[in-house]
Amino acid sequence: MKLTILGCYAATPRTLTNPTSQVLEIKNRLFLIDCGEGTQVQLRKNKIKFSKINHIFISHLHGDHLYGLIGTISTFSLLGRTTDLHIYGPKGIKELILLQLKLTESWTTYNLFFHELESKESEVIFEDNRVIVKTIPLKHRVYTNGYLFQEKPGERKLNVEAAQHYNIHTAYYQKIKNGGNVTLDDGTVIENEKLSFDPIPAMSYAFCSDTVYNEDVIPIIENADVLYHESTFLESEAPLAQKTLHSTAKEAARIALKANVKHLVLGHYSTRYDGIERFKEEAEEVFSNVILGDDGLSFEF
């Protein structure tokens, strides 16, 4: 699983920082999460092929998470895209994008599918044979969702020596990989555990931005391998975080600790601060495994 941070700063874009956008590569799937201004440029800088992005997930309709979307959609057409593109986001996103396409007479060269979200409960919004994606309802000034990306368990690994020991025909090998037992000609049942090894553990990634401190997310993201949680403010601005429905670095760490995640990635930093090292320092007072997200960084898990 690979996470590439295209942008992870709050509000206004600057010459050296970008608003929220990131790419998650999981089980050979490439998902674009949020699409702030400058996303196209960041995709090019990080050598991510536009053609591999077939699903875009938008957390909410604030500009620093959305204003790069119409440009990205239009550029896909300029590049001659023909593959379907699916966009997941709050109700209203379809009207917003189609109006821009209509007024600019920039209809796409490919099918554009919108999956508008309204539920305030967690729900499955995408699933194929490798990955499942669920919403994480968040508390912000407008309707907002985070997203939980989960790998589906892979096949079990065949224990070839064991299979040969029991003289099991190769025709049963796929059944064993799928977790099935094998019945020999004399009626003896060989349990799957004797014929195979556990698959590589499935991984998961939780994306939470923007939100006030909210323990309701804990049951949804519990035991995630990686949690990205917004950390707009330091503790000195905790009252402002509460007022604007954002979180501090220390609050993000509390969520990580209570949810028993393995890694915490911080982001969505307010641009009022000179640097971001203090975010890590404050978070580590609560949770030990903290990673500072920053534009252009990639992390493999």
PDB file of all heavy atoms in Angstrom, residues 160-193:
ATOM      1  N   VAL A 160       2.802 -26.809  -0.882  1.00  0.00           N
ATOM      2  CA  VAL A 160       2.993 -27.818  -1.924  1.00  0.00           C
ATOM      3  C   VAL A 160       3.462 -29.147  -1.316  1.00  0.00           C
ATOM      4  O   VAL A 160       2.970 -30.223  -1.695  1.00  0.00           O
ATOM      5  CB  VAL A 160       3.999 -27.326  -2.978  1.00  0.00           C
ATOM      6  CG1 VAL A 160       4.241 -28.413  -4.028  1.00  0.00           C
ATOM      7  CG2 VAL A 160       3.490 -26.050  -3.636  1.00  0.00           C
ATOM      8  N   GLU A 161       4.391 -29.071  -0.365  1.00  0.00           N
ATOM      9  CA  GLU A 161       4.902 -30.305   0.240  1.00  0.00           C
ATOM     10  C   GLU A 161       3.790 -31.082   0.939  1.00  0.00           C
ATOM     11  O   GLU A 161       3.720 -32.315   0.830  1.00  0.00           O
ATOM     12  CB  GLU A 161       6.014 -29.970   1.234  1.00  0.00           C
ATOM     13  CG  GLU A 161       7.297 -29.470   0.586  1.00  0.00           C
ATOM     14  CD  GLU A 161       8.403 -29.262   1.599  1.00  0.00           C
ATOM     15  OE1 GLU A 161       8.191 -29.561   2.797  1.00  0.00           O
ATOM     16  OE2 GLU A 161       9.486 -28.795   1.199  1.00  0.00           O
ATOM     17  N   ALA A 162       2.927 -30.371   1.633  1.00  0.00           N
ATOM     18  CA  ALA A 162       1.819 -31.042   2.322  1.00  0.00           C
ATOM     19  C   ALA A 162       0.853 -31.674   1.320  1.00  0.00           C
ATOM     20  O   ALA A 162       0.377 -32.800   1.525  1.00  0.00           O
ATOM     21  CB  ALA A 162       1.085 -30.053   3.216  1.00  0.00           C
ATOM     22  N   ALA A 163       0.565 -30.953   0.251  1.00  0.00           N
ATOM     23  CA  ALA A 163      -0.346 -31.471  -0.765  1.00  0.00           C
ATOM     24  C   ALA A 163       0.218 -32.731  -1.416  1.00  0.00           C
ATOM     25  O   ALA A 163      -0.511 -33.705  -1.656  1.00  0.00           O
ATOM     26  CB  ALA A 163      -0.604 -30.395  -1.818  1.00  0.00           C
ATOM     27  N   GLN A 164       1.524 -32.733  -1.655  1.00  0.00           N
ATOM     28  CA  GLN A 164       2.153 -33.904  -2.247  1.00  0.00           C
ATOM     29  C   GLN A 164       2.200 -35.063  -1.254  1.00  0.00           C
ATOM     30  O   GLN A 164       2.039 -36.223  -1.632  1.00  0.00           O
ATOM     31  CB  GLN A 164       3.558 -33.537  -2.724  1.00  0.00           C
ATOM     32  CG  GLN A 164       3.561 -32.565  -3.901  1.00  0.00           C
ATOM     33  CD  GLN A 164       4.956 -32.107  -4.284  1.00  0.00           C
ATOM     34  OE1 GLN A 164       5.913 -32.260  -3.520  1.00  0.00           O
ATOM     35  NE2 GLN A 164       5.086 -31.527  -5.482  1.00  0.00           N
ATOM     36  N   HIS A 165       2.390 -34.720   0.024  1.00  0.00           N
ATOM     37  CA  HIS A 165       2.425 -35.747   1.073  1.00  0.00           C
ATOM     38  C   HIS A 165       1.107 -36.518   1.126  1.00  0.00           C
ATOM     39  O   HIS A 165       1.094 -37.754   1.289  1.00  0.00           O
ATOM     40  CB  HIS A 165       2.710 -35.104   2.425  1.00  0.00           C
ATOM     41  CG  HIS A 165       2.563 -36.034   3.579  1.00  0.00           C
ATOM     42  ND1 HIS A 165       3.497 -37.006   3.889  1.00  0.00           N
ATOM     43  CD2 HIS A 165       1.554 -36.161   4.510  1.00  0.00           C
ATOM     44  CE1 HIS A 165       3.087 -37.695   4.949  1.00  0.00           C
ATOM     45  NE2 HIS A 165       1.909 -37.190   5.345  1.00  0.00           N
ATOM     46  N   TYR A 166       0.007 -35.817   0.974  1.00  0.00           N
ATOM     47  CA  TYR A 166      -1.313 -36.466   1.007  1.00  0.00           C
ATOM     48  C   TYR A 166      -1.754 -36.940  -0.373  1.00  0.00           C
ATOM     49  O   TYR A 166      -2.871 -37.428  -0.543  1.00  0.00           O
ATOM     50  CB  TYR A 166      -2.357 -35.494   1.574  1.00  0.00           C
ATOM     51  CG  TYR A 166      -2.204 -35.233   3.046  1.00  0.00           C
ATOM     52  CD1 TYR A 166      -1.678 -34.020   3.498  1.00  0.00           C
ATOM     53  CD2 TYR A 166      -2.574 -36.187   3.995  1.00  0.00           C
ATOM     54  CE1 TYR A 166      -1.532 -33.763   4.854  1.00  0.00           C
ATOM     55  CE2 TYR A 166      -2.439 -35.940   5.353  1.00  0.00           C
ATOM     56  CZ  TYR A 166      -1.911 -34.724   5.778  1.00  0.00           C
ATOM     57  OH  TYR A 166      -1.771 -34.489   7.126  1.00  0.00           O
ATOM     58  N   ASN A 167      -0.857 -36.783  -1.356  1.00  0.00           N
ATOM     59  CA  ASN A 167      -1.118 -37.228  -2.725  1.00  0.00           C
ATOM     60  C   ASN A 167      -2.389 -36.582  -3.293  1.00  0.00           C
ATOM     61  O   ASN A 167      -3.228 -37.234  -3.907  1.00  0.00           O
ATOM     62  CB  ASN A 167      -1.245 -38.757  -2.782  1.00  0.00           C
ATOM     63  CG  ASN A 167      -1.056 -39.286  -4.200  1.00  0.00           C
ATOM     64  OD1 ASN A 167      -0.374 -38.682  -5.030  1.00  0.00           O
ATOM     65  ND2 ASN A 167      -1.688 -40.426  -4.497  1.00  0.00           N
ATOM     66  N   ILE A 168      -2.499 -35.285  -3.065  1.00  0.00           N
ATOM     67  CA  ILE A 168      -3.670 -34.539  -3.534  1.00  0.00           C
ATOM     68  C   ILE A 168      -3.433 -34.071  -4.966  1.00  0.00           C
ATOM     69  O   ILE A 168      -2.396 -33.496  -5.283  1.00  0.00           O
ATOM     70  CB  ILE A 168      -3.940 -33.337  -2.614  1.00  0.00           C
ATOM     71  CG1 ILE A 168      -4.350 -33.836  -1.223  1.00  0.00           C
ATOM     72  CG2 ILE A 168      -5.015 -32.431  -3.188  1.00  0.00           C
ATOM     73  CD1 ILE A 168      -4.484 -32.747  -0.190  1.00  0.00           C
ATOM     74  N   HIS A 169      -4.394 -34.315  -5.816  1.00  0.00           N
ATOM     75  CA  HIS A 169      -4.281 -33.953  -7.228  1.00  0.00           C
ATOM     76  C   HIS A 169      -4.265 -32.429  -7.388  1.00  0.00           C
ATOM     77  O   HIS A 169      -4.892 -31.693  -6.616  1.00  0.00           O
ATOM     78  CB  HIS A 169      -5.467 -34.536  -8.011  1.00  0.00           C
ATOM     79  CG  HIS A 169      -5.275 -34.505  -9.502  1.00  0.00           C
ATOM     80  ND1 HIS A 169      -5.564 -33.396 -10.278  1.00  0.00           N
ATOM     81  CD2 HIS A 169      -4.807 -35.455 -10.354  1.00  0.00           C
ATOM     82  CE1 HIS A 169      -5.290 -33.665 -11.542  1.00  0.00           C
ATOM     83  NE2 HIS A 169      -4.828 -34.918 -11.618  1.00  0.00           N
ATOM     84  N   THR A 170      -3.547 -31.978  -8.407  1.00  0.00           N
ATOM     85  CA  THR A 170      -3.421 -30.530  -8.648  1.00  0.00           C
ATOM     86  C   THR A 170      -4.763 -29.869  -8.927  1.00  0.00           C
ATOM     87  O   THR A 170      -4.898 -28.650  -8.775  1.00  0.00           O
ATOM     88  CB  THR A 170      -2.468 -30.261  -9.827  1.00  0.00           C
ATOM     89  OG1 THR A 170      -2.937 -30.964 -10.998  1.00  0.00           O
ATOM     90  CG2 THR A 170      -1.055 -30.715  -9.498  1.00  0.00           C
ATOM     91  N   ALA A 171      -5.754 -30.648  -9.320  1.00  0.00           N
ATOM     92  CA  ALA A 171      -7.075 -30.089  -9.602  1.00  0.00           C
ATOM     93  C   ALA A 171      -7.697 -29.450  -8.361  1.00  0.00           C
ATOM     94  O   ALA A 171      -8.584 -28.595  -8.467  1.00  0.00           O
ATOM     95  CB  ALA A 171      -8.002 -31.170 -10.147  1.00  0.00           C
ATOM     96  N   TYR A 172      -7.226 -29.858  -7.178  1.00  0.00           N
ATOM     97  CA  TYR A 172      -7.774 -29.336  -5.928  1.00  0.00           C
ATOM     98  C   TYR A 172      -6.994 -28.128  -5.403  1.00  0.00           C
ATOM     99  O   TYR A 172      -7.377 -27.549  -4.390  1.00  0.00           O
ATOM    100  CB  TYR A 172      -7.771 -30.428  -4.841  1.00  0.00           C
ATOM    101  CG  TYR A 172      -8.751 -31.538  -5.100  1.00  0.00           C
ATOM    102  CD1 TYR A 172      -8.345 -32.731  -5.695  1.00  0.00           C
ATOM    103  CD2 TYR A 172     -10.093 -31.406  -4.740  1.00  0.00           C
ATOM    104  CE1 TYR A 172      -9.243 -33.761  -5.930  1.00  0.00           C
ATOM    105  CE2 TYR A 172     -10.996 -32.424  -4.963  1.00  0.00           C
ATOM    106  CZ  TYR A 172     -10.565 -33.606  -5.567  1.00  0.00           C
ATOM    107  OH  TYR A 172     -11.456 -34.609  -5.799  1.00  0.00           O
ATOM    108  N   TYR A 173      -5.922 -27.753  -6.094  1.00  0.00           N
ATOM    109  CA  TYR A 173      -5.051 -26.698  -5.569  1.00  0.00           C
ATOM    110  C   TYR A 173      -5.777 -25.350  -5.423  1.00  0.00           C
ATOM    111  O   TYR A 173      -5.592 -24.647  -4.420  1.00  0.00           O
ATOM    112  CB  TYR A 173      -3.816 -26.527  -6.456  1.00  0.00           C
ATOM    113  CG  TYR A 173      -2.756 -27.603  -6.256  1.00  0.00           C
ATOM    114  CD1 TYR A 173      -2.996 -28.695  -5.422  1.00  0.00           C
ATOM    115  CD2 TYR A 173      -1.517 -27.525  -6.888  1.00  0.00           C
ATOM    116  CE1 TYR A 173      -2.029 -29.676  -5.230  1.00  0.00           C
ATOM    117  CE2 TYR A 173      -0.545 -28.509  -6.702  1.00  0.00           C
ATOM    118  CZ  TYR A 173      -0.808 -29.575  -5.877  1.00  0.00           C
ATOM    119  OH  TYR A 173       0.149 -30.543  -5.684  1.00  0.00           O
ATOM    120  N   GLN A 174      -6.599 -24.995  -6.400  1.00  0.00           N
ATOM    121  CA  GLN A 174      -7.311 -23.721  -6.307  1.00  0.00           C
ATOM    122  C   GLN A 174      -8.311 -23.742  -5.156  1.00  0.00           C
ATOM    123  O   GLN A 174      -8.498 -22.742  -4.452  1.00  0.00           O
ATOM    124  CB  GLN A 174      -8.031 -23.398  -7.618  1.00  0.00           C
ATOM    125  CG  GLN A 174      -8.613 -21.978  -7.663  1.00  0.00           C
ATOM    126  CD  GLN A 174      -7.560 -20.901  -7.456  1.00  0.00           C
ATOM    127  OE1 GLN A 174      -6.530 -20.870  -8.107  1.00  0.00           O
ATOM    128  NE2 GLN A 174      -7.812 -19.993  -6.505  1.00  0.00           N
ATOM    129  N   LYS A 175      -8.951 -24.879  -4.954  1.00  0.00           N
ATOM    130  CA  LYS A 175      -9.892 -25.011  -3.836  1.00  0.00           C
ATOM    131  C   LYS A 175      -9.163 -24.794  -2.516  1.00  0.00           C
ATOM    132  O   LYS A 175      -9.687 -24.138  -1.603  1.00  0.00           O
ATOM    133  CB  LYS A 175     -10.542 -26.392  -3.851  1.00  0.00           C
ATOM    134  CG  LYS A 175     -11.522 -26.620  -2.707  1.00  0.00           C
ATOM    135  CD  LYS A 175     -12.126 -28.013  -2.745  1.00  0.00           C
ATOM    136  CE  LYS A 175     -13.099 -28.200  -1.579  1.00  0.00           C
ATOM    137  NZ  LYS A 175     -13.695 -29.565  -1.578  1.00  0.00           N
ATOM    138  N   ILE A 176      -7.946 -25.324  -2.420  1.00  0.00           N
ATOM    139  CA  ILE A 176      -7.156 -25.146  -1.199  1.00  0.00           C
ATOM    140  C   ILE A 176      -6.806 -23.676  -1.005  1.00  0.00           C
ATOM    141  O   ILE A 176      -6.923 -23.128   0.089  1.00  0.00           O
ATOM    142  CB  ILE A 176      -5.876 -26.004  -1.271  1.00  0.00           C
ATOM    143  CG1 ILE A 176      -6.232 -27.488  -1.284  1.00  0.00           C
ATOM    144  CG2 ILE A 176      -4.953 -25.691  -0.101  1.00  0.00           C
ATOM    145  CD1 ILE A 176      -5.061 -28.398  -1.579  1.00  0.00           C
ATOM    146  N   LYS A 177      -6.398 -23.006  -2.077  1.00  0.00           N
ATOM    147  CA  LYS A 177      -6.060 -21.585  -2.005  1.00  0.00           C
ATOM    148  C   LYS A 177      -7.267 -20.747  -1.579  1.00  0.00           C
ATOM    149  O   LYS A 177      -7.125 -19.713  -0.934  1.00  0.00           O
ATOM    150  CB  LYS A 177      -5.544 -21.085  -3.352  1.00  0.00           C
ATOM    151  CG  LYS A 177      -4.187 -21.637  -3.756  1.00  0.00           C
ATOM    152  CD  LYS A 177      -3.777 -21.080  -5.109  1.00  0.00           C
ATOM    153  CE  LYS A 177      -2.439 -21.627  -5.570  1.00  0.00           C
ATOM    154  NZ  LYS A 177      -2.057 -21.097  -6.905  1.00  0.00           N
ATOM    155  N   ASN A 178      -8.465 -21.227  -1.944  1.00  0.00           N
ATOM    156  CA  ASN A 178      -9.687 -20.516  -1.594  1.00  0.00           C
ATOM    157  C   ASN A 178     -10.143 -20.816  -0.167  1.00  0.00           C
ATOM    158  O   ASN A 178     -11.167 -20.286   0.279  1.00  0.00           O
ATOM    159  CB  ASN A 178     -10.809 -20.866  -2.568  1.00  0.00           C
ATOM    160  CG  ASN A 178     -10.550 -20.328  -3.971  1.00  0.00           C
ATOM    161  OD1 ASN A 178      -9.780 -19.390  -4.158  1.00  0.00           O
ATOM    162  ND2 ASN A 178     -11.192 -20.930  -4.955  1.00  0.00           N
ATOM    163  N   GLY A 179      -9.395 -21.686   0.520  1.00  0.00           N
ATOM    164  CA  GLY A 179      -9.717 -21.979   1.914  1.00  0.00           C
ATOM    165  C   GLY A 179     -10.475 -23.264   2.155  1.00  0.00           C
ATOM    166  O   GLY A 179     -10.897 -23.541   3.296  1.00  0.00           O
ATOM    167  N   GLY A 180     -10.662 -24.046   1.119  1.00  0.00           N
ATOM    168  CA  GLY A 180     -11.448 -25.266   1.255  1.00  0.00           C
ATOM    169  C   GLY A 180     -10.664 -26.456   1.772  1.00  0.00           C
ATOM    170  O   GLY A 180      -9.444 -26.541   1.618  1.00  0.00           O
ATOM    171  N   ASN A 181     -11.370 -27.391   2.421  1.00  0.00           N
ATOM    172  CA  ASN A 181     -10.786 -28.667   2.837  1.00  0.00           C
ATOM    173  C   ASN A 181     -10.798 -29.630   1.664  1.00  0.00           C
ATOM    174  O   ASN A 181     -11.490 -29.405   0.657  1.00  0.00           O
ATOM    175  CB  ASN A 181     -11.575 -29.257   4.010  1.00  0.00           C
ATOM    176  CG  ASN A 181     -11.615 -28.331   5.212  1.00  0.00           C
ATOM    177  OD1 ASN A 181     -10.678 -27.572   5.452  1.00  0.00           O
ATOM    178  ND2 ASN A 181     -12.708 -28.381   5.967  1.00  0.00           N
ATOM    179  N   VAL A 182     -10.062 -30.735   1.783  1.00  0.00           N
ATOM    180  CA  VAL A 182     -10.017 -31.738   0.720  1.00  0.00           C
ATOM    181  C   VAL A 182     -10.372 -33.103   1.311  1.00  0.00           C
ATOM    182  O   VAL A 182      -9.843 -33.498   2.364  1.00  0.00           O
ATOM    183  CB  VAL A 182      -8.629 -31.800   0.057  1.00  0.00           C
ATOM    184  CG1 VAL A 182      -8.576 -32.942  -0.963  1.00  0.00           C
ATOM    185  CG2 VAL A 182      -8.301 -30.473  -0.618  1.00  0.00           C
ATOM    186  N   THR A 183     -11.267 -33.826   0.650  1.00  0.00           N
ATOM    187  CA  THR A 183     -11.659 -35.166   1.071  1.00  0.00           C
ATOM    188  C   THR A 183     -10.945 -36.191   0.196  1.00  0.00           C
ATOM    189  O   THR A 183     -11.087 -36.177  -1.037  1.00  0.00           O
ATOM    190  CB  THR A 183     -13.178 -35.366   0.958  1.00  0.00           C
ATOM    191  OG1 THR A 183     -13.847 -34.376   1.751  1.00  0.00           O
ATOM    192  CG2 THR A 183     -13.577 -36.751   1.451  1.00  0.00           C
ATOM    193  N   LEU A 184     -10.155 -37.047   0.820  1.00  0.00           N
ATOM    194  CA  LEU A 184      -9.422 -38.078   0.082  1.00  0.00           C
ATOM    195  C   LEU A 184     -10.365 -39.200  -0.363  1.00  0.00           C
ATOM    196  O   LEU A 184     -11.516 -39.281   0.077  1.00  0.00           O
ATOM    197  CB  LEU A 184      -8.311 -38.646   0.958  1.00  0.00           C
ATOM    198  CG  LEU A 184      -7.285 -37.637   1.504  1.00  0.00           C
ATOM    199  CD1 LEU A 184      -6.237 -38.349   2.346  1.00  0.00           C
ATOM    200  CD2 LEU A 184      -6.628 -36.866   0.361  1.00  0.00           C
ATOM    201  N   ASP A 185      -9.843 -40.073  -1.231  1.00  0.00           N
ATOM    202  CA  ASP A 185     -10.658 -41.172  -1.761  1.00  0.00           C
ATOM    203  C   ASP A 185     -11.181 -42.091  -0.668  1.00  0.00           C
ATOM    204  O   ASP A 185     -12.255 -42.692  -0.809  1.00  0.00           O
ATOM    205  CB  ASP A 185      -9.836 -41.996  -2.765  1.00  0.00           C
ATOM    206  CG  ASP A 185      -9.528 -41.201  -4.035  1.00  0.00           C
ATOM    207  OD1 ASP A 185     -10.241 -40.191  -4.275  1.00  0.00           O
ATOM    208  OD2 ASP A 185      -8.591 -41.567  -4.756  1.00  0.00           O
ATOM    209  N   ASP A 186     -10.442 -42.211   0.437  1.00  0.00           N
ATOM    210  CA  ASP A 186     -10.892 -43.101   1.520  1.00  0.00           C
ATOM    211  C   ASP A 186     -11.835 -42.394   2.498  1.00  0.00           C
ATOM    212  O   ASP A 186     -12.196 -42.941   3.535  1.00  0.00           O
ATOM    213  CB  ASP A 186      -9.690 -43.667   2.285  1.00  0.00           C
ATOM    214  CG  ASP A 186      -8.852 -42.579   2.971  1.00  0.00           C
ATOM    215  OD1 ASP A 186      -9.244 -41.397   2.887  1.00  0.00           O
ATOM    216  OD2 ASP A 186      -7.814 -42.915   3.571  1.00  0.00           O
ATOM    217  N   GLY A 187     -12.199 -41.150   2.169  1.00  0.00           N
ATOM    218  CA  GLY A 187     -13.140 -40.408   3.015  1.00  0.00           C
ATOM    219  C   GLY A 187     -12.485 -39.519   4.053  1.00  0.00           C
ATOM    220  O   GLY A 187     -13.178 -38.773   4.752  1.00  0.00           O
ATOM    221  N   THR A 188     -11.189 -39.566   4.182  1.00  0.00           N
ATOM    222  CA  THR A 188     -10.487 -38.727   5.153  1.00  0.00           C
ATOM    223  C   THR A 188     -10.519 -37.259   4.713  1.00  0.00           C
ATOM    224  O   THR A 188     -10.227 -36.944   3.563  1.00  0.00           O
ATOM    225  CB  THR A 188      -9.013 -39.173   5.285  1.00  0.00           C
ATOM    226  OG1 THR A 188      -8.975 -40.542   5.676  1.00  0.00           O
ATOM    227  CG2 THR A 188      -8.291 -38.329   6.333  1.00  0.00           C
ATOM    228  N   VAL A 189     -10.880 -36.408   5.651  1.00  0.00           N
ATOM    229  CA  VAL A 189     -10.935 -34.967   5.367  1.00  0.00           C
ATOM    230  C   VAL A 189      -9.654 -34.309   5.863  1.00  0.00           C
ATOM    231  O   VAL A 189      -9.310 -34.416   7.040  1.00  0.00           O
ATOM    232  CB  VAL A 189     -12.155 -34.301   6.040  1.00  0.00           C
ATOM    233  CG1 VAL A 189     -12.134 -32.793   5.786  1.00  0.00           C
ATOM    234  CG2 VAL A 189     -13.449 -34.905   5.515  1.00  0.00           C
ATOM    235  N   ILE A 190      -8.950 -33.670   4.939  1.00  0.00           N
ATOM    236  CA  ILE A 190      -7.734 -32.951   5.294  1.00  0.00           C
ATOM    237  C   ILE A 190      -8.086 -31.478   5.463  1.00  0.00           C
ATOM    238  O   ILE A 190      -8.535 -30.825   4.523  1.00  0.00           O
ATOM    239  CB  ILE A 190      -6.638 -33.106   4.221  1.00  0.00           C
ATOM    240  CG1 ILE A 190      -6.425 -34.582   3.873  1.00  0.00           C
ATOM    241  CG2 ILE A 190      -5.344 -32.461   4.700  1.00  0.00           C
ATOM    242  CD1 ILE A 190      -5.998 -35.429   5.044  1.00  0.00           C
ATOM    243  N   GLU A 191      -7.918 -30.971   6.688  1.00  0.00           N
ATOM    244  CA  GLU A 191      -8.255 -29.581   6.967  1.00  0.00           C
ATOM    245  C   GLU A 191      -7.350 -28.634   6.185  1.00  0.00           C
ATOM    246  O   GLU A 191      -6.172 -28.918   5.948  1.00  0.00           O
ATOM    247  CB  GLU A 191      -8.119 -29.286   8.466  1.00  0.00           C
ATOM    248  CG  GLU A 191      -9.034 -30.110   9.351  1.00  0.00           C
ATOM    249  CD  GLU A 191     -10.497 -29.760   9.171  1.00  0.00           C
ATOM    250  OE1 GLU A 191     -10.776 -28.577   8.831  1.00  0.00           O
ATOM    251  OE2 GLU A 191     -11.347 -30.641   9.345  1.00  0.00           O
ATOM    252  N   ASN A 192      -7.922 -27.518   5.792  1.00  0.00           N
ATOM    253  CA  ASN A 192      -7.195 -26.550   4.973  1.00  0.00           C
ATOM    254  C   ASN A 192      -5.928 -26.057   5.648  1.00  0.00           C
ATOM    255  O   ASN A 192      -4.912 -25.802   4.981  1.00  0.00           O
ATOM    256  CB  ASN A 192      -8.098 -25.352   4.631  1.00  0.00           C
ATOM    257  CG  ASN A 192      -7.437 -24.366   3.692  1.00  0.00           C
ATOM    258  OD1 ASN A 192      -6.767 -23.438   4.123  1.00  0.00           O
ATOM    259  ND2 ASN A 192      -7.597 -24.587   2.395  1.00  0.00           N
ATOM    260  N   GLU A 193      -5.955 -25.911   6.968  1.00  0.00           N
ATOM    261  CA  GLU A 193      -4.791 -25.410   7.704  1.00  0.00           C
ATOM    262  C   GLU A 193      -3.561 -26.288   7.525  1.00  0.00           C
ATOM    263  O   GLU A 193      -2.421 -25.825   7.668  1.00  0.00           O
ATOM    264  CB  GLU A 193      -5.122 -25.279   9.190  1.00  0.00           C
ATOM    265  CG  GLU A 193      -6.078 -24.148   9.535  1.00  0.00           C
ATOM    266  CD  GLU A 193      -7.524 -24.451   9.154  1.00  0.00           C
ATOM    267  OE1 GLU A 193      -7.815 -25.629   8.829  1.00  0.00           O
ATOM    268  OE2 GLU A 193      -8.346 -23.522   9.161  1.00  0.00           O
TER     269      GLU A 193
END
